[in-house]
Amino acid sequence: MGIIPVWGYQMIVAFALAHFFKLNKAIVIIASNISVPPMIPFILYGSMKVGSILLGQPLALTFQDITLDAVKKMLVQYIPGSIVFALIVGFTGWLLTFAILKLSKKNK
């Protein structure tokens, strides 16, 4: 949820989804805070890169000429890219957690 572009509402949406899916709300709220400042450049780049791959366009990450058209082009890549990137990161996190829990259960 920290990657999905619902700026300012990530924790509220995460809490609502945790309630809907009957998940542990405390863990969901803690895990939804991955948009901490050191991670933001990686999240933005990953979202933009996935968006450029999805749309079959070159990466529109330019800061030389900030115009309204450049910002629109960046948002067109960023919005779908961030949604798909969030799904990829979430699924990867789920797989890693599942594998760690399975391995730790076997050792006991």
Side-chain angles (χ1 to χ4, degrees):
M1 286 307 305
I3 299 174
I4 296 284
V6 287
W7 307 288
Y9 300 103
Q10 290 162 330
M11 290 177 66
I12 295 169
V13 173
F15 189 81
L17 288 173
H19 179 74
F20 180 74
F21 288 116
K22 296 178 175 51
L23 301 173
N24 185 324
K25 292 170 189 70
I27 292 175
V28 169
I29 293 297
I30 291 168
S32 72
N33 289 317
I34 76 164
S35 291
V36 292
M39 295 300 293
I40 290 174
F42 300 108
I43 292 170
L44 288 176
Y45 180 77
S47 298
M48 293 291 292
K49 186 64 177 173
V50 170
S52 71
I53 293 169
L54 280 175
L55 300 174
Q57 299 173 350
L59 189 61
L61 195 57
T62 59
F63 296 108
Q64 289 82 10
D65 56 338
I66 300 290
T67 63
L68 200 51
D69 287 334
V71 171
K72 278 197 278 188
K73 189 174 181 181
M74 284 186 216
L75 281 177
V76 166
Q77 283 186 355
Y78 173 73
I79 300 293
S82 65
I83 294 169
V84 173
F85 186 59
L87 291 171
I88 292 168
V89 170
F91 184 71
T92 304
W94 176 82
L95 273 178
L96 287 171
T97 303
F98 186 76
I100 290 168
L101 289 175
K102 278 292 195 189
L103 289 173
S104 67
K105 193 174 184 180
K106 268 187 182 178
N107 292 338
K108 289 185 178 184

